[in-house]
Amino acid sequence: MIGLVALLAATACTSGSEFEPPLCPAQLPAVAEIRIEEQGATLWKTTGEPPCADFRPTLADVRSFFRGAKSADRRDVHYTLSESGCVARGAVRFADGSRGRWQVDRFALGWLDRAGRPRLTLYCPQCHRRPWRQ
């Protein structure tokens, strides 16, 4: 019975709130390899944020992002979460052999593109330490 409860909790989506969209398990395979191709990129200028050049997540940071990432509807994210114009980008290979392109911003919000699948919007509610600003 405890195993069933844990399984249901792992596959259930949250209901969301005023400040967080409904979040669902991303159900991604384990990450086998991460490549960071760009750090500190500026998508748009934002006042009150540190310079984008200061946003330099490490491989361990990006791996942690994927480990804690939940999927969310892009429209819900737009209305509930802060977004940063400061991003890092790269590529990922998963343990099942699939590959993807990713982007993540300073607020631990990002996306993952994989061939033959729709873009997955990801948010890591557990990413609280540097380089993430929650």
Side-chain angles (χ1 to χ4, degrees), residues 40 46 48-57 82-88 104-109 127 129-134:
T46 305
E49 258 192 86
C52 287
D54 293 348
F55 180 59
R56 304 190 64 76
S82 297
E83 298 180 55
S84 173
C86 302
V87 300
V104 63
D105 77 10
R106 173 177 271 155
F107 295 126
L109 179 62
C127 295
R129 64 176 184 80
R130 286 188 86 111
W132 317 113
R133 291 186 46 172
Q134 299 277 323

Side-chain angles (χ1 to χ4, degrees), residues 41-102:
T42 303
L43 298 179
W44 64 81
K45 300 276 185 197
T46 305
T47 58
E49 258 192 86
C52 287
D54 293 348
F55 180 59
R56 304 190 64 76
T58 65
L59 289 173
D61 294 327
V62 177
R63 188 174 293 276
S64 177
F65 169 80
F66 276 107
R67 196 170 31 255
K70 305 289 184 193
S71 67
D73 182 274
R74 180 72 190 137
R75 292 168 300 213
D76 291 339
V77 164
H78 177 73
Y79 291 109
T80 56
L81 296 175
S82 297
E83 298 180 55
S84 173
C86 302
V87 300
R89 297 182 180 112
V92 60
R93 183 176 54 83
F94 295 101
D96 68 356
S98 65
R99 297 175 180 272
R101 308 274 320 148
W102 57 267

